[in-house]
Amino acid sequence: MTIFKTYTGNAMLNNALMTIEALARLKSVSAITPSLLKELYHQVDLKETNKRLKNYTMLFTNNGPLHNNKGNDDRVYGSLFSTIVSNFESEGANICEISGLAFQTTFNEFYELALKEAGFSNKEIGSKDTNISRTWFPLIGSLGSDAQALPQAKFTVQIHPICIAVLQFLPLSALLYKRGILLVDSSNFELSREMVAQNTQTLSEKIQNISLKESVENVRDFSKGDYLLKALDILAEKEDFEETYSDLNMWSFSNSGTGANCEIDRIPNFLIRKLQRLYTNAKIDIELKGILAKNETAYSFIKSLEKNTDWSLLYPNVFGSGKKAIRYEGVSPEFMEAYYAEVGKTELLPTAKYIAGLIQQYKSKAFEKLLVKTDGWNDPEYKVELFRVLVKATEDNKWGLEQHIAILDNKDELPIKNTYYQFQKLIHYFTWKKVQSNTLPPIYVLNTKVLKACKWIISLIQKDDKVNAIKSNLTNPNENAKVGFNRIVFDALANTEIALEEVIEILYDEEYNYRKYGLNEVLRIFFSQTDQQEFEFENLKSNLNRDALLQNWIAKIKSFANDYRAYYFGRYQGSGNGGLPHNKFQKTIDPFIKENDNFYTLLIEAIFNTNQFIKEREHTKDDKWKMEDLMTNPLGNNNRNICVLAVKFLLKETSIKPLELSIIN
């Protein structure tokens, strides 16, 4: 009589069924019958074998008949198994919550019958707990005693008694994984079936090689990488599986004592596919096996591959220090190519190889010393020397602004950071492996924020009266960091609509600290080019327009600028041609905003005069404006750099824009 037509939705029961299939060499789960279970029970000497297996108590605790001799002599074990199997039911009023099978006689009824057949008196039977608990089905808990049972549960879980008998074969395939019992679960039943069969074979060999008088220790020889290799071997051998969806869930659980627990490592189908492609690559399969076979490399490799992130052990490195230092050469170029293809970053490789070629042409003596170090990429001077190479290559028309933006760690981050840590490792890798290219690959950075910001400032520089001096300073390594942009922006306001938010987004970080050095270095690349494209000014789309805190701060300083202009016009109106003194105001503002050493003195004077004007006009006694109102950044901190920028910018803007009559009324 067939018990199961197919596998169930329960991984634990499925693993037990697959174990039986392996032990009995069955081709299908439907071949499992009550008579086969009874025959297999004797064939593998199930009672004695389970008593010897150390994994048994991890699965079923030590409260069952096999180990709790004081309450349930092990003679009950055989009686119970035989009673359940001999009286298998496929119909009845009860439905199994694990398998969906129908049945009439419950487990505790069979248990009481087995106790009676084993010679226990009615009084002894009445004193025993014959309900299903985690002693019989791991992790289900039991009412009134285990924390695993749901607090609101009112009834014992209904499980077909045959499932309890089937589960007794599970220890014969139970290896250890992460200190718990391994359960293999996959939507590809053939994959998990084959893995369980291999585990059964492993444990069978261990049992056969140990004296019948000895306990069988747990098999704890395999890590996550080992099990993945098994899965890859199976998928490679079974070609029919290659087009099948194959995920893999590896349970690690323990049911023993008060520390019952369970965790599941999920290996999704896409990760299995990645591993398969690497595994079937004849150039790197041995290297992959070596990585997965070592605990210290397998875990980080799998995690990085799954998340499409950089794996640190791709690259040469040095671990430890002094005499204990271990030099690691990194993976092979073939493995590097394959890994980058799997994580979707293969476009980085041609650029890295090209730069490795540039290094050979333009490296300095100092750089040569770094290049011979296994972990040279990790030296702070590596970035400096690499940048020098790129500048020289730019001067020879072998590098340029867009290529440089393409290697930045973040092409959409403003203010610009001229860092390329990811590429440093990759470039050093190809230099180390002596792999290089002379072909400059195409790059795509047109819509990056960094390129737009560079075009924005370059267009202003190209129209500035001092363009040659600026270019000279930006390309001079000793002057590059000294170049500032405020004066260029202020002068450009006369002919260009620039928003203060654009300047802040390009030159100030989230804490409103001034950050120009990355921009200066990138501009050095552009102005070192032999061919420099002319850019038309285009406004940046700044998200700062929606920053209420910043907008309120700008509005406050703009209000001061308007008050100051009102004061100025009120004082000088009627002089000269009798109209508003626009030109005179502009001539006052221009030197004001160019002043650095005496700026604060002039600002104090401007605040005083403005306050006096307002008090006379509005007949008030209190000053409207104080220095701290204007020298506090949007976050309320005393950060004068951005405050000075805003005051100067808005005073200049106020001196240029047409006057709103309401301002002086």
Side-chain angles (χ1 to χ4, degrees), residues 279-294:
Y279 191 69
T280 54
N281 184 337
K283 296 179 180 177
I284 63 169
D285 59 333
I286 295 176
E287 198 169 359
L288 176 65
K289 289 178 182 177
I291 292 168
L292 292 178
K294 297 177 183 175

Side-chain angles (χ1 to χ4, degrees), residues 152-208:
Q152 70 271 28
K154 294 181 179 179
F155 307 101
T156 301
V157 61
Q158 289 292 324
I159 298 178
H160 195 300
I162 198 66
C163 296
I164 305 301
V166 167
L167 224 56
Q168 291 302 308
F169 290 92
L170 183 57
L172 299 183
S173 69
L175 310 188
L176 256 57
Y177 174 59
K178 290 185 172 180
R179 299 182 179 180
I181 296 292
L182 170 71
L183 276 186
V184 178
D185 180 29
S186 172
S187 55
N188 182 342
F189 285 128
E190 290 303 312
L191 173 61
S192 49
R193 185 176 188 267
E194 192 64 29
M195 290 187 73
V196 170
Q198 291 188 10
N199 294 345
T200 305
Q201 178 65 25
T202 299
L203 203 51
S204 295
E205 291 172 358
K206 189 176 182 69
I207 293 170
Q208 290 168 10

